[in-house]
Amino acid sequence: KQEVTQIPAALSVPEGENLVLNCSFTDSAIYNLQWFRQDPGKGLTSLLLIQSSQREQTSGRLNASLDKSSGRSTLYIAASQPGDSATYLCAARSNDYKLSFGAGTTVTVRA
Amino acid sequence: DAGVIQSPRHEVTEMGQEVTLRCKPISGHNSLFWYRQTMMRGLELLIYFNNNVPIDDSGMPEDRFSAKMPNASFSTLKIQPSEPRDSAVYFCASSPGPSTEAFFGQGTRLTVV
């Protein structure tokens, strides 16, 4: 069974600082890894999808890396803004097509 | 496209009542997933369908839970009878295929009193 872990559980930074969010997974046999953002009381918004054959994916201030062999992915958010405050979840798509989620990292960016 | 559409957004029901949650996936998406989110257990996969066929329902907690996908544009998750411990946010997600990017609906917040 795929286990996904996210560390830290919570993070508070001043505006302008770069954010580094970590995700690890136990089974390296994955199709892809997806990062989501969830605002309080809302649904999940897809941020980035990294295929298993890729090393990284970028979208604006967001950059996600994937090291499949070591079972790790990292989401970098450059020059953080108060609007980046949210919970960030990573999810690994296993070969049985199940999308397994971590518990998330709750980010607070202080103005 | 309007995205994945779930209804109702909020549901409050009494213990023992039947509850039906609805989901309309993104047009053209062949895979559909039902998740449940609670503070204690996070996001849990309940069941997923591929081309309207249930592929894996091992996450369905009990026989009180059932899900159907009668066609490519509609799915239901039913709880009968409902219990207070079923209170959670239920999400539906769809993707073009079983291994591609998943898109989530806004969820249904279920409260069983």
Side-chain angles (χ1 to χ4, degrees):
Chain A
K1 180 187 173 187
Q2 179 76 273
E3 301 286 344
V4 181
T5 304
Q6 291 187 248
I7 295 174
L11 189 59
S12 179
V13 299
E15 183 176 3
E17 191 165 300
N18 296 332
L19 288 163
V20 180
L21 308 179
N22 298 301
C23 172
S24 62
F25 47 95
T26 55
D27 185 355
S28 62
I30 60 170
Y31 274 113
N32 54 55
L33 187 131
Q34 196 167 353
W35 282 94
F36 294 87
R37 168 183 172 141
Q38 186 174 30
D39 293 288
K42 303 293 186 182
L44 281 70
T45 300
S46 179
L47 297 174
L48 288 168
L49 175 76
I50 313 177
Q51 299 293 351
S52 62
S53 59
Q54 296 177 312
R55 296 285 291 184
E56 66 178 283
Q57 192 70 252
T58 298
S59 176
R61 294 185 295 112
L62 276 58
N63 174 277
S65 67
L66 175 65
D67 184 342
K68 204 174 83 161
S69 60
S70 67
R72 293 179 184 175
S73 178
T74 302
L75 178 67
Y76 302 90
I77 303 177
S80 61
Q81 304 167 0
D84 295 328
S85 298
T87 296
Y88 293 83
L89 298 130
C90 70
R93 175 86 71 186
S94 304
N95 287 347
D96 60 359
Y97 305 130
K98 291 181 181 178
L99 194 60
S100 301
F101 281 84
T105 296
T106 298
V107 171
T108 302
V109 180
R110 307 186 304 272
Chain B
D1 200 310
V4 177
I5 299 173
Q6 293 187 244
S7 64
R9 292 293 311 278
H10 302 273
E11 177 81 31
V12 180
T13 190
E14 292 184 347
M15 183 174 62
Q17 296 298 305
E18 177 180 296
V19 176
T20 300
L21 311 181
R22 297 172 175 77
C23 174
K24 177 178 167 55
I26 294 172
S27 178
H29 283 195
N30 296 322
S31 295
L32 184 139
F33 306 82
W34 282 100
Y35 285 85
R36 177 172 68 176
Q37 186 177 40
T38 61
M39 289 293 292
M40 290 295 295
R41 300 171 70 91
L43 274 158
E44 302 173 279
L45 176 64
L46 300 176
I47 185 171
Y48 76 91
F49 295 84
N50 194 46
N51 293 323
N52 311 338
V53 176
I55 302 301
D56 189 331
D57 64 355
S58 59
M60 297 285 262
E62 299 172 32
D63 291 345
R64 299 184 295 107
F65 286 70
S66 63
K68 294 183 179 179
M69 192 164 186
N71 57 62
S73 59
F74 185 66
S75 177
T76 59
L77 177 67
K78 186 178 293 186
I79 307 172
Q80 166 65 18
S82 57
E83 297 182 4
R85 58 195 170 114
D86 301 331
S87 297
V89 181
Y90 290 80
F91 286 104
C92 175
S94 71
S95 61
S99 62
T100 52
E101 187 174 9
F103 297 87
F104 279 69
Q106 289 300 298
T108 294
R109 182 173 296 277
L110 173 66
T111 303
V112 183
V113 298

